[in-house]
Amino acid sequence: MGTNENSTEIDEGLYSRQLYVLGHEAMKRMKNSNVLISGMRGLGVEIAKNITLGGVKSVTVHDEGNAEWNDLSSQFYLAEGDIGKSRAQVSAKHLAELNSYVPVYTHTEKLTEDFLYRFQVVVLTCSSLEEQLWIGDVCHRNNIKFIVADTKGLFGQLFCDFGEEFIVTDPNSEEPLHAIVSWISKDSPGLVTCLDEKVAHGFQTGDYVTFSEIQGMTELNHCKPIEVQYNDQYSFFICDTSNFGDYKNGGIVTEVKMPQKLTFQPFREALKKPTYQVSDFGKMDRHGTLHIAFQALHQFVRECGYLPKPWAKNDAERLVAIAKQLSEEEPSILNGEPLNEGLVRKLAYVAAGDLCPINAFIGGVAAQEVMKACSGKFTPLSQWMYFDALECSPEENTEFLLPEESCRPKNCRYDGQIAIFGSDFQEKLKAQRYFLVGAGAIGCELLKNFAMIGLGAGEGGSITVTDMDTIERSNLNRQFLFRPGDVTKMKSKTAAAAVRKMNPSVRITAHENRVGAETENVYHQDFFENLDGVANALDNVETRKYVDSRCVLYQKPLLESGTLGTKGHTQVIVPHLTESYGSSDDSPQQSIPICTLRNFPSAIEHTLQWARDEFAGLFKQPAENVNKYLEDPSFIDHTMALQEGQALEILEGIYRSLDIDKPESWADCVAWARRHWQTQYSNNIRQLLHNFPPDQVTSSGVPFWSGVKRCPHPLEFDPSNCLHMDYVVAAANLFAEMYSIPGSQDSMAIQQILLSVDVPEFTPKSGVTIYASDAEMEAAEHSTVSDNGRLADLKELLSSRKNVTGTAMQPIDFEKDDDTNFHMDFIVAASNLRAENYNIPAADRHKSKLIAGRIIPAIATTTAAIVGLVCLELYKVVQGHRPKQAFRNGFINLAVPLFAFSEPLPAAARKYRDKKWTIWDRINVQGIKPNGEEMTLAEFLSYFKKEHNMELISIVCETWNVYAEHMSQKVQKKRLSQRLSEIVEMLSQQKIEEHVKGLKFEIDFNSEEDEEDLPPVFYQIR
């Protein structure tokens, strides 16, 4: 049984990342849903795992059968010792450990109508067509949401029936659009023009919007949702505005997501008149054939008592005959097109197989449909979906047949996979040596799949996984290998131990390292050359690019993937076949202009970033600088070498921290927080309004405070205002922590201290410069020579160390997930106070944590589906020598739902002297001569002249110029007789470490062609 099962409260510590995908209301609706999942083979347990993690009211798993050998190829909660035991009961024990809030029950008897009444959602897997028909009828009659999910080898099937009137509250996973209004006409219909910030408004015909902050045409403020008609990317039509007041200024238009009512056909009718969800736009012509073929499989099993035997021609022809008969009985299903008999045969050949990656993908999608059924959040499938991964077949586009003998059951855990790929390929999988970078959500799912398919589980095989992070409670909602008792343990070791239980044969080694330049002594040339491939499970672009660069250097395939809420992508990188991850840059995230942050915020995102900057500027950077100053006698000199404004800021901060602002007691910390509140939310705003009065107009006659510039107002401190006190309490405690002074949360005591705090009077000054734009600020920086008198004074004060004493301070690193450390208390209060200054709607703690903490929304369903797709590409990589058209990069959005696949792009070709090359090519040079000595620079130049007919004019290693023809004769003469490694050591001022076996050089040569580009040189030194 779970805990708090009847509570409507959502445990934000556990569900935080999922809450950013679904929202509180959808989660509350899920907590009222009892779900039945029938069939506890690989697909059923995958769905149950994702739903249990998701947080429904209860999960009941049903299965009348016992575990068999062929279950073990994908059923990760069954072990060899469980053969013969109840699948439902063994699975339930493990599922119950995933989430203490979700009780998991078992049912091992036949399903009855009365039993089905207990549930809001019923999911059938591994079920007969007869069972699907009668249960589908019962569910539709009683408004029970009904889902059928099935996998057969490389094929998958999904069906959804959510009743006659299903309400979707939010059709997609996107935040509501908003735009700033610049004009609204008085017309029928009225035309709304949005402020041109080089960004289209994004509204489409049929969308609904509402308005706020409009001056003049106030009838639109907080109006009922109005339907939009698109005009162009900067304007759209709304209702009749001819009788409204005249538009004057301002306004924000915001999208309103309107509930949508959907009607579903019951299963029995949908079987005859199917509508399809596209799972691959390149395979839309397969829907009808697969719809018939899956029905033919049911009939085959009824007649024969078994699924078609793996790669058995006779069984395949029998299935084709059944399918042809069904297509003749229901010709409308194929819309007059002929049955694709080859596709039916391929289904027959692999139908007896059972693959963990296929179950992961279909199970992830199916589980998301369960969540939609429970919550009304996002758009359901319409209504059938068929999926195949025939590209994984050894020879997809031929009549190639595997020998039946090699695919027969061996009474081993891989039988379900051997049925599809044969026993030889299974041995190849077991001998693979793979490196997994990351053991978070994607890493856990990858390890599960690796264990099930037997990757690295045989002689010579291995998996190395590394992750430098420890397990946090918020991880437990989607990183399913971890349990509450694992919190604070290392992810890599815990995950490795968990998958060893799933498959004791897996040869896995766990590391706790970051992968980067600092660990190249661990992940060096020998390490990479011993690998068969690499898989990334990372959440940052920097490390992704680094790993990608190492894979390019050492010619290793890379499996890349990532998720963002209900969206996910996969990319397969194959040497000499595809481009690399680093070949195409994602668009860089647009940064917020400095002047917007400092003085002209217009959105809560701006105030939250400002609060993050405040946190670092108050509680981290000053303490770090003070410690460097106290530890390093040359710190002042180093600082003075910086740009003048930067040096002044650093030294001023040190002086204030050690003298002016240095507290002696807790009361001093409270006083500092109160005075800082006054500076930021009153004094600075008053100075801004002194420089730019509310009625100021620009040189073109437009009000200065218009468009994205919101006119602010100063705040008055009020100790009875909770937000004001939240700021003082948080800021005072953080300030005290820097100085190792004990803090306090006693509000009454803090209010008593505040009564005696002296807050200086403030009068705005003339002559204070405030820049209206970043361009204006940059122009001033380039043209103005500042008075460096204050900088000189600070240098003298701090250099002499007179009257400046202190001990080391405690810099505070921002940590969003600890609700007791005052970090988010400060961010929320600081941001919302500034939002109040500028009349920006405040953000609650949940939304503030998402934005300020730069949290990546995540949900287990997307992760499972994406990793399933990654591992389908793994099959192809391991097979080797596959054409580029066999591979697939993928993008999915389970909310919409959308599935898009494309052939990977080839590596871009470059050229020198009529020779084409790509990032995968390099010029290999053996730097060690037959006598064991290394080449000199002169010999290297001679080698290229002789072997490549090139006169080199430059040689660069990283950022160091090893050789350039413009170097002085003296330098050239000296270097020509030196070994290249010796020159590199001299330039880098460090010895080349023993693990480094080669150096990478960029070279250039005399050429008549301007655009010639040479591949890098890999120079072997050991």
Side-chain angles (χ1 to χ4, degrees):
M1 289 291 290
T3 59
N4 297 338
E5 65 176 275
N6 296 316
S7 170
T8 57
E9 292 299 313
I10 306 296
D11 185 341
E12 293 190 4
L14 176 65
Y15 292 116
S16 64
R17 304 312 187 259
Q18 181 175 296
L19 276 166
Y20 292 121
V21 181
L22 298 177
H24 284 79
E25 290 307 311
M27 283 286 296
K28 287 176 181 177
R29 287 191 288 270
M30 281 175 54
K31 280 176 68 71
N32 290 321
S33 298
N34 299 300
V35 180
L36 169 67
I37 301 168
S38 177
M40 276 297 106
R41 288 192 161 98
L43 178 59
V45 79
E46 180 67 46
I47 298 170
K49 177 258 290 180
N50 294 327
I51 293 306
T52 305
L53 290 170
V56 294
K57 184 176 183 180
S58 74
V59 170
T60 299
V61 295
H62 164 255
D63 198 311
E64 299 169 44
N66 296 328
E68 303 168 358
W69 274 111
N70 62 357
D71 293 330
L72 269 58
S73 60
S74 68
Q75 222 287 21
F76 45 86
Y77 284 149
L78 294 179
E80 292 184 15
D82 296 321
I83 303 297
K85 297 179 182 177
S86 164
R87 276 189 293 258
Q89 290 176 356
V90 174
S91 301
K93 180 181 70 173
H94 295 284
L95 291 166
E97 296 174 351
L98 293 173
N99 191 338
S100 63
Y101 291 101
V102 180
V104 178
Y105 306 105
T106 60
H107 186 70
T108 56
E109 305 298 323
K110 285 192 177 299
L111 296 175
T112 64
E113 187 167 338
D114 285 345
F115 185 72
L116 296 176
Y117 293 158
R118 304 179 187 181
F119 304 99
Q120 283 69 51
V121 184
V122 170
V123 183
L124 299 185
T125 71
C126 300
S127 55
S128 67
L129 183 59
E130 292 72 25
E131 188 175 46
Q132 293 168 8
L133 286 164
W134 82 259
I135 291 179
D137 290 341
V138 170
C139 289
H140 193 83
R141 257 194 331 265
N142 294 279
N143 197 30
I144 299 169
K145 314 300 183 291
F146 178 58
I147 295 172
V148 174
D150 203 0
T151 57
K152 293 289 184 283
L154 291 167
F155 295 81
Q157 176 195 55
L158 262 177
F159 170 80
C160 295
D161 168 19
F162 294 170
E164 300 283 348
E165 294 187 358
F166 182 73
I167 304 300
V168 176
T169 58
D170 177 5
N172 56 46
S173 59
E174 306 303 321
E175 284 291 310
L177 297 170
H178 63 270
I180 296 174
V181 176
S182 63
W183 180 255
I184 304 176
S185 70
K186 288 183 69 172
D187 210 340
S188 181
L191 180 67
V192 178
T193 304
C194 296
L195 192 68
D196 179 5
E197 286 189 284
K198 300 179 183 177
V199 178
H201 57 65
F203 299 113
Q204 300 295 325
T205 297
D207 289 346
Y208 283 79
V209 298
T210 189
F211 295 85
S212 60
E213 302 182 35
I214 290 174
Q215 297 175 34
M217 198 178 283
T218 55
E219 294 89 343
L220 287 174
N221 284 333
H222 309 296
C223 62
K224 290 182 179 179
I226 301 171
E227 189 171 1
V228 162
Q229 184 180 348
Y230 180 86
N231 181 51
D232 60 33
Q233 59 182 334
Y234 301 116
S235 65
F236 54 85
F237 295 105
I238 54 171
C239 60
D240 182 355
T241 60
S242 55
N243 293 321
F244 292 174
D246 292 337
Y247 174 82
K248 291 181 180 177
N249 190 22
I252 295 173
V253 56
T254 304
E255 179 187 15
V256 179
K257 295 192 176 186
M258 302 295 288
Q260 299 177 3
K261 185 171 79 172
L262 302 180
T263 300
F264 289 79
Q265 293 185 92
F267 181 86
R268 192 177 295 273
E269 291 178 18
L271 198 64
K272 303 294 183 184
K273 297 178 181 178
T275 58
Y276 303 110
Q277 178 72 48
V278 178
S279 65
D280 187 334
F281 289 96
K283 300 178 179 179
M284 292 174 63
D285 58 345
R286 299 184 182 183
H287 292 159
T289 291
L290 288 177
H291 190 68
I292 288 171
F294 266 80
Q295 293 179 61
L297 273 178
H298 286 293
Q299 186 170 326
F300 185 102
V301 173
R302 279 200 308 273
E303 294 174 359
C304 301
Y306 61 87
L307 284 166
K309 293 187 178 71
W311 298 92
K313 287 185 180 179
N314 291 340
D315 284 355
E317 293 310 315
R318 180 164 187 164
L319 186 69
V320 169
I322 295 171
K324 286 174 70 174
Q325 180 186 348
L326 290 174
S327 67
E328 291 165 3
E329 293 171 1
E330 297 288 346
S332 62
I333 290 176
L334 291 174
N335 292 320
E337 297 294 323
L339 182 76
N340 185 338
E341 295 183 16
L343 187 61
V344 179
R345 285 189 188 92
K346 288 173 181 175
L347 173 61
Y349 292 147
V350 301
D354 185 22
L355 296 180
C356 189
I358 290 286
N359 288 331
F361 175 70
I362 297 296
V365 178
Q368 190 66 58
E369 296 305 303
V370 173
M371 293 185 182
K372 294 174 187 178
C374 296
S375 67
K377 184 88 169 184
F378 307 143
T379 304
L381 291 174
S382 175
Q383 283 186 258
W384 293 93
M385 187 184 94
Y386 289 95
F387 174 81
D388 76 74
L390 282 176
E391 300 83 15
C392 296
S393 294
E395 299 292 340
E396 186 216 353
N397 295 316
T398 70
E399 290 303 315
F400 172 84
L401 291 179
L402 282 169
E404 285 186 54
E405 178 61 34
S406 73
C407 301
R408 285 178 183 160
K410 307 290 191 291
N411 280 345
C412 76
R413 67 176 307 119
Y414 308 115
D415 278 352
Q417 192 163 253
I418 290 171
I420 298 169
F421 298 115
S423 54
D424 288 347
F425 180 68
Q426 186 60 55
E427 293 306 309
K428 195 172 183 180
L429 275 171
K430 288 160 70 175
Q432 292 292 296
R433 299 177 299 273
Y434 257 74
F435 182 33
L436 173 59
V437 187
I442 288 177
C444 285
E445 290 289 339
L446 281 168
L447 285 172
K448 174 200 74 180
N449 279 270
F450 289 174
M452 292 295 96
I453 70 176
L455 189 79
E459 188 174 347
S462 67
I463 298 170
T464 303
V465 58
T466 188
D467 196 306
M468 61 187 289
D469 286 343
T470 56
I471 299 163
E472 299 174 359
R473 188 163 179 267
S474 63
N475 300 151
L476 305 180
N477 173 238
R478 64 205 181 282
Q479 299 176 20
F480 85 108
L481 296 180
F482 307 142
R483 301 290 177 268
D486 297 326
V487 172
T488 74
K489 294 180 182 177
M490 297 304 299
K491 286 185 176 181
S492 56
K493 288 189 174 180
T494 308
V499 296
R500 282 193 200 100
K501 292 179 181 178
M502 292 180 175
N503 183 354
S505 299
V506 168
R507 303 182 178 199
I508 186 167
T509 303
H511 292 179
E512 299 169 6
N513 304 318
R514 182 180 183 273
V515 179
E518 67 272 27
T519 53
E520 286 180 8
N521 62 322
V522 179
Y523 308 116
H524 42 58
Q525 183 174 339
D526 284 349
F527 177 83
F528 271 91
E529 288 182 347
N530 193 46
L531 296 173
D532 292 300
V534 179
N536 270 348
L538 295 161
D539 60 1
N540 71 88
V541 172
E542 180 187 355
T543 311
R544 280 183 167 121
K545 285 186 174 180
Y546 174 81
V547 175
D548 174 71
S549 70
R550 304 297 278 178
C551 288
V552 171
L553 179 62
Y554 297 118
Q555 315 274 291
K556 298 300 175 183
L558 173 65
L559 300 168
E560 170 60 49
S561 59
T563 68
L564 177 65
T566 58
K567 300 173 185 174
H569 77 273
T570 65
Q571 183 181 1
V572 57
I573 293 125
V574 183
H576 301 286
L577 200 64
T578 73
E579 67 176 4
S580 73
Y581 174 80
S583 297
S584 54
D585 261 342
D586 290 336
S587 300
Q589 193 169 9
Q590 202 169 15
S591 60
I592 303 169
I594 294 172
C595 285
T596 298
L597 288 176
R598 288 181 179 173
N599 299 304
F600 308 112
S602 61
I604 198 66
E605 288 80 4
H606 301 160
T607 66
L608 282 163
Q609 183 58 55
W610 178 87
R612 274 296 304 267
D613 293 345
E614 269 278 283
F615 186 98
L618 293 173
F619 310 122
K620 184 173 190 285
Q621 291 159 1
E624 288 179 340
N625 290 334
V626 163
N627 292 346
K628 289 175 186 175
Y629 163 74
L630 294 173
E631 295 164 5
D632 181 4
S634 62
F635 178 76
I636 299 292
D637 293 332
H638 291 318
T639 302
M640 293 299 292
L642 299 173
Q643 191 260 346
E644 190 174 294
Q646 188 180 359
L648 181 61
E649 184 179 350
I650 291 171
L651 297 188
E652 189 76 66
I654 293 172
Y655 183 67
R656 295 190 70 88
S657 297
L658 292 177
D659 191 313
I660 301 171
D661 290 338
K662 184 180 177 182
E664 299 295 335
S665 65
W666 165 241
D668 289 346
C669 297
V670 174
W672 172 87
R674 170 65 183 90
R675 285 192 284 266
H676 195 73
W677 187 102
Q678 192 71 20
T679 298
Q680 296 294 50
Y681 304 110
S682 181
N683 300 353
N684 288 351
I685 300 298
R686 290 166 65 191
Q687 182 66 57
L688 180 63
L689 292 172
H690 177 78
N691 284 46
F692 304 108
D695 57 357
Q696 179 161 323
V697 295
T698 65
S699 57
S700 57
V702 176
F704 177 85
W705 294 106
S706 62
V708 295
K709 285 188 170 70
R710 306 171 71 100
C711 186
H713 64 276
L715 304 182
E716 292 297 326
F717 185 80
D718 179 0
S720 66
N721 185 310
C722 292
L723 187 59
H724 296 196
M725 284 302 295
D726 286 347
Y727 179 91
V728 169
V729 171
N733 274 281
L734 290 167
F735 195 66
E737 184 182 339
M738 278 201 304
Y739 290 93
S740 301
I741 294 173
S744 170
Q745 297 184 61
D746 187 339
S747 294
M748 295 298 292
I750 292 171
Q751 288 193 11
Q752 282 298 116
I753 295 171
L754 288 174
L755 292 175
S756 60
V757 173
D758 176 40
V759 180
E761 287 291 324
F762 175 79
T763 303
K765 301 178 183 67
S766 297
V768 174
T769 302
I770 298 177
Y771 299 110
S773 68
D774 281 12
E776 187 180 304
M777 179 179 66
E778 288 167 10
E781 285 177 353
H782 286 104
S783 62
T784 303
V785 178
S786 60
D787 177 12
N788 58 12
R790 176 59 179 164
L791 185 59
D793 290 344
L794 285 167
K795 181 188 176 185
E796 184 179 348
L797 271 170
L798 293 169
S799 296
S800 67
R801 300 186 180 244
K802 291 178 181 177
N803 302 320
V804 180
T805 59
T807 56
M809 295 174 64
Q810 306 298 320
I812 303 175
D813 288 307
F814 178 67
E815 170 49 59
K816 62 188 177 296
D817 288 321
D818 181 353
D819 287 336
T820 67
N821 63 9
F822 297 104
H823 296 196
M824 279 308 303
D825 298 322
F826 176 84
I827 295 292
V828 174
S831 171
N832 284 339
L833 284 166
R834 189 161 176 82
E836 187 179 344
N837 277 138
Y838 287 87
N839 298 305
I840 297 169
D844 62 17
R845 189 184 186 90
H846 182 67
K847 183 175 181 180
S848 298
K849 185 187 284 191
L850 171 70
I851 299 169
R854 300 176 188 127
I855 289 173
I856 300 173
I859 191 167
T861 49
T862 312
T863 307
I866 279 295
V867 169
L869 295 176
V870 169
C871 291
L872 293 176
E873 299 308 304
L874 173 62
Y875 284 138
K876 304 169 194 176
V877 170
V878 174
Q879 285 166 1
H881 309 295
R882 299 301 304 276
K884 186 164 67 68
Q885 58 266 29
F887 293 95
R888 293 288 182 273
N889 291 340
F891 173 80
I892 67 173
N893 184 348
L894 298 185
V896 182
L898 170 70
F899 308 91
F901 299 94
S902 62
E903 183 182 317
L905 291 173
R910 306 179 197 180
K911 191 179 78 167
Y912 76 97
R913 288 185 178 170
D914 299 325
K915 294 180 181 179
K916 287 187 176 180
W917 65 279
T918 72
I919 53 166
W920 298 105
D921 295 304
R922 63 194 188 189
I923 300 171
N924 289 303
V925 177
Q926 175 52 260
I928 306 300
K929 297 181 292 185
N931 64 5
E933 294 180 358
E934 186 191 338
M935 277 184 184
T936 63
L937 174 57
E939 289 170 327
F940 186 84
L941 295 171
S942 176
Y943 170 87
F944 269 87
K945 177 69 176 172
K946 180 181 176 182
E947 298 294 329
H948 298 280
N949 193 25
M950 292 180 189
E951 287 192 13
L952 300 189
I953 59 175
S954 76
I955 305 170
V956 177
C957 181
E958 296 185 21
T959 59
W960 304 297
N961 280 319
V962 175
Y963 170 78
E965 64 175 359
H966 59 71
M967 284 177 171
S968 69
Q969 288 297 317
K970 182 180 178 182
V971 172
Q972 282 197 31
K973 184 177 179 181
K974 179 184 178 184
R975 290 192 184 178
L976 285 170
S977 62
Q978 291 180 298
R979 293 175 287 112
L980 272 79
S981 62
E982 184 184 350
I983 298 171
V984 170
E985 287 182 335
M986 180 266 296
L987 293 171
S988 65
Q989 297 184 335
Q990 54 187 358
K991 190 170 178 60
I992 296 172
E993 296 186 51
E994 284 298 316
H995 64 82
V996 178
K997 294 194 168 185
L999 300 173
K1000 183 181 174 184
F1001 293 130
E1002 303 290 339
I1003 61 173
D1004 198 6
F1005 71 110
N1006 270 321
S1007 170
E1008 296 176 2
E1009 301 288 334
D1010 291 335
E1011 298 298 320
E1012 290 203 311
D1013 205 2
L1014 282 169
V1017 173
F1018 192 77
Y1019 177 75
Q1020 200 80 20
I1021 59 173
R1022 292 190 176 93

